[in-house]
Amino acid sequence: MVNTKRWFLLLVALSICFNKSLTAQTKKREFRAAWIATVENIDWPSRPGLSTEEQRRELTSLYDQLKGIGLNAVVVQIRPACDAFFPSTIEPWSAFLTGRQGEAPHPFYDPLEFMIQEAHKRSLEFHAWINPFRAANNNQRQSLSADHVARKHPDWVIEYDGKLYLNPGMPVVQSYVLQVIQEIVQNYDIDAVHLDDYFYPYKVAGAVFDDAATYAGSPVKFPSIDEWRRNNINTFIFRLHNLIKNTKPYVQLGISPFGVWRNQDKDPKLGSPTQAGQTCYDDLYADILLWLDKGWMDYVAPQLYWPLGFKRVDPATMMDWWSMHRNQANLYIGHAIYRVGSQADAAWLSPAELPNQLRLSRRNPAIEGNIYYSGKWFEKNNLGVTDSLAVSYRYPALTPVPPDADISPLQAPQWSKIKRRKKYVRLTWELSGLSRYRPYYYVIYRYDGTKYQGIDDPKYIYKITPFDDRKLEFVDRKIRRKASYTYVITSVNREQVEGLPSKALRIETR
């Protein structure tokens, strides 16, 4: 009993130390996101065929939790396997949503529109996560909707390891996927298009990805099928970048590759000192460094799902490696919150493992945020990891500015009305004097007392509130009676550029 008590107290003390350290490292700009996976109902909805009301309730509950922890973005999978979580004119409704592919929600609603509106209502960026070439998570073609691409164009599809994939080597396939993405970008108010690590599938011993005939028929000849495959993905990423920027320049393109681009034994000059069993370049045919060099990506989020000190791939080593190769793109680190508490690896039984990884990433000035896989594990709170992250994210943060953003800031808002009551203060501002750039949201800073402390320290960020031209006001209900407060407000444009601060407004409460 005594030993158990001492162990518990030690864990509490360590947790306090870690949390103080993480809080001290808080940045004003930091990407804090969770992946929300819909394939096989990993995160949402909890099962297929839920009613519209149940789907909405589950999603808003998850959003509320993530926002309450301090996250500022969600990465939601809206096209898991050539299917749609929105009324697409090209692809069928997802079976993971309704239980039957091609069947619309009942009563009808647009889940993607709902996802975006609810995210933005909570000042969460919405990144639309799309799997470009996975056609079906099994090989049962007869179970697919009649208008699914695998049934309409069976010659575009390759069966591999019991699943169906579109053939990236066919220009018509690339054009098809780009058409789907264009439909999303044009019709929905998303903040980014997000691709994960699935380009060509991970290699499986004894399985053959049968695209030899496509390779042989290519009008442009390559020395090897590997180089041809890489060129296919390079071409797709180049076309996707151009499509997005020509449609809505402020929409970002983010890619979350497997954590190792290439091992050093394959590329002594550029490779990392790792021994990964598979890599982006050699196995998934994703030449991330080329895309970064060409400026085709706004952010890169390598999935570093190993524990610190792992011999074959150490996340600490890879954080440094990606920092040196990110070029102009923003760099976020992907973390395996789902592994916390796992019995499969003793390292993940330590409550300090994920907080240590976050602390390391925050120490590196080239790393501007973190994404956690996946959303439901915040609710599970294994080893108190959610509580720890909530402390480290206790102050709100703005998301980073994309690399090619127009840095012309908005002018300062102007305070217009003040209403004082015993239990609240209502502050109103106006748009007069703002530049041509429409605000996307407002940042309200609050300082105890009458001294203005500037807007650089995130501890003074009191509220980040979405833009609503019908209601330019903020109600502060967390006040003390007969106290002094100072408020400042700034506006932020769609590319996350913050404008000039308003005049400091000093208030004495009743």
Side-chain angles (χ1 to χ4, degrees):
M1 178 66 73
V2 174
N3 289 338
T4 302
K5 185 176 181 180
R6 285 179 177 174
W7 175 243
F8 174 76
L9 291 174
L10 177 61
L11 286 179
V12 171
L14 287 172
S15 177
I16 292 171
C17 291
F18 288 133
N19 289 336
K20 283 184 176 179
S21 174
L22 288 168
T23 301
Q25 294 174 328
T26 298
K27 302 176 181 178
K28 180 179 174 179
R29 287 192 180 271
E30 184 175 51
F31 193 73
R32 308 168 177 176
W35 279 288
I36 299 177
T38 59
V39 64
E40 303 295 345
N41 301 100
I42 290 174
D43 289 310
W44 177 82
S46 60
R47 59 182 174 84
L50 293 178
S51 69
T52 293
E53 181 182 351
E54 289 172 314
Q55 290 174 9
R56 286 172 166 168
R57 185 169 59 247
E58 282 191 355
L59 187 68
T60 54
S61 176
L62 180 55
Y63 277 4
D64 285 341
Q65 183 179 39
L66 299 178
K67 178 65 177 179
I69 294 162
L71 303 193
N72 55 21
V74 289
V75 185
V76 187
Q77 192 175 35
I78 65 167
R79 182 191 183 256
C82 291
D83 50 3
F85 273 69
F86 57 96
S88 172
T89 61
I90 304 168
E91 295 188 314
W93 285 99
S94 176
F96 303 126
L97 182 72
T98 62
R100 182 178 179 182
Q101 193 172 82
E103 185 174 300
H106 183 76
F108 181 83
Y109 82 116
D110 185 337
L112 179 53
E113 185 67 28
F114 180 78
M115 293 179 207
I116 296 168
Q117 287 179 353
E118 292 299 313
H120 288 168
K121 187 187 297 183
R122 293 162 175 79
S123 300
L124 295 167
E125 278 194 3
F126 187 90
H127 293 225
W129 173 12
I130 294 157
N131 293 89
F133 301 113
R134 182 167 61 203
N137 233 25
N138 56 57
N139 59 2
Q140 306 301 311
R141 298 176 190 241
Q142 68 276 8
S143 68
L144 299 174
S145 170
D147 56 351
H148 188 277
V149 64
R151 295 189 66 177
K152 291 171 67 176
H153 300 283
D155 54 317
W156 293 3
V157 176
I158 294 174
E159 183 175 336
Y160 181 80
D161 191 36
K163 299 179 182 180
L164 303 180
Y165 296 89
L166 295 178
N167 184 352
M170 301 177 69
V172 66
V173 164
Q174 293 195 21
S175 295
Y176 170 80
V177 176
L178 292 169
Q179 184 184 5
V180 171
I181 296 174
Q182 185 170 31
E183 180 181 41
I184 296 165
V185 176
Q186 282 183 333
N187 296 334
Y188 292 93
D189 189 26
I190 64 174
D191 297 291
V193 171
H194 181 97
L195 307 182
D196 57 17
D197 49 328
Y198 292 101
F199 295 98
Y200 280 87
Y202 282 86
K203 290 180 179 176
V204 176
V208 176
F209 193 82
D210 190 10
D211 58 351
T214 313
Y215 169 58
S218 173
V220 180
K221 301 305 176 184
F222 292 83
S224 69
I225 195 170
D226 286 2
E227 291 191 31
W228 171 75
R229 286 172 175 169
R230 272 188 289 275
N231 182 72
N232 295 333
I233 303 302
N234 292 342
T235 301
F236 173 75
I237 297 298
F238 171 71
R239 295 177 67 189
L240 175 59
H241 168 266
N242 288 344
L243 180 155
I244 293 171
K245 299 307 176 182
N246 289 334
T247 305
K248 290 180 181 176
Y250 62 83
V251 172
Q252 299 180 57
L253 173 57
I255 298 176
S256 177
F258 178 72
V260 177
W261 172 74
R262 207 174 191 200
N263 293 322
Q264 208 167 55
D265 64 345
K266 292 280 189 180
D267 191 327
K269 183 179 179 181
L270 295 176
S272 55
T274 52
Q275 298 84 44
Q278 300 201 43
T279 66
C280 296
Y281 185 92
D282 294 296
D283 300 284
L284 304 178
Y285 306 104
D287 191 355
I288 310 292
L289 292 198
L290 175 69
W291 312 342
L292 290 168
D293 182 61
K294 296 292 186 181
W296 297 341
M297 303 161 56
D298 293 288
Y299 69 84
V300 59
Q303 299 172 24
L304 305 185
Y305 289 176
W306 303 274
L308 293 170
F310 183 63
K311 185 176 180 180
R312 295 175 62 185
V313 185
D314 188 342
T317 299
M318 293 312 301
M319 288 183 197
D320 290 339
W321 186 91
W322 283 103
S323 298
M324 292 186 292
H325 294 90
R326 69 180 182 121
N327 212 297
Q328 299 302 311
N330 290 338
L331 172 60
Y332 313 138
I333 301 300
H335 298 281
I337 192 173
Y338 74 96
R339 289 187 171 172
V340 173
S342 170
Q343 299 290 329
D345 189 331
W348 290 107
L349 293 176
S350 169
E353 177 61 38
L354 200 60
N356 275 337
Q357 293 192 17
L358 175 56
R359 186 171 67 254
L360 274 177
S361 73
R362 280 180 159 178
R363 283 179 179 172
N364 189 322
I367 297 174
E368 298 178 279
N370 311 82
I371 315 180
Y372 301 91
Y373 186 86
S374 63
K376 70 180 180 184
W377 295 92
F378 286 91
E379 182 178 2
K380 293 180 182 294
N381 194 23
N382 289 346
L383 303 182
V385 65
T386 305
D387 299 331
S388 177
L389 291 174
V391 173
S392 65
Y393 291 151
R394 63 179 296 188
Y395 301 124
L398 282 67
T399 55
V401 177
D404 294 327
D406 182 348
I407 59 172
S408 302
L410 289 80
Q411 296 177 16
Q414 298 178 7
W415 297 112
S416 58
K417 294 181 182 178
I418 305 168
K419 182 179 287 187
R420 298 180 181 86
R421 294 292 185 265
K422 289 183 179 180
K423 295 185 178 180
Y424 69 87
V425 172
R426 177 179 281 113
L427 307 177
T428 307
W429 59 91
E430 56 189 30
L431 294 172
S432 59
L434 290 175
S435 69
R436 62 187 176 87
Y437 294 95
R438 181 177 181 268
Y440 187 44
Y441 57 82
Y442 295 97
V443 184
I444 297 167
Y445 299 83
R446 193 183 84 167
Y447 317 85
D448 287 343
T450 60
K451 186 177 180 181
Y452 169 53
Q453 304 286 338
I455 61 172
D456 294 330
D457 192 331
K459 73 181 180 182
Y460 296 121
I461 297 177
Y462 192 62
K463 180 77 173 180
I464 298 176
T465 182
F467 171 75
D468 183 350
D469 57 5
R470 298 164 299 176
K471 194 175 182 181
L472 300 178
E473 68 174 26
F474 166 68
V475 179
D476 187 356
R477 300 185 184 278
K478 296 181 180 180
I479 60 172
R480 301 186 307 274
R481 294 188 63 185
K482 297 183 179 180
S484 299
Y485 297 102
T486 299
Y487 296 89
V488 163
I489 184 171
T490 63
S491 50
V492 179
N493 69 18
R494 191 60 191 260
E495 293 182 294
Q496 311 307 319
V497 178
E498 187 175 22
L500 300 171
S502 69
K503 292 182 179 179
L505 179 64
R506 297 173 177 87
I507 291 178
E508 298 287 336
T509 60
R510 295 182 176 181

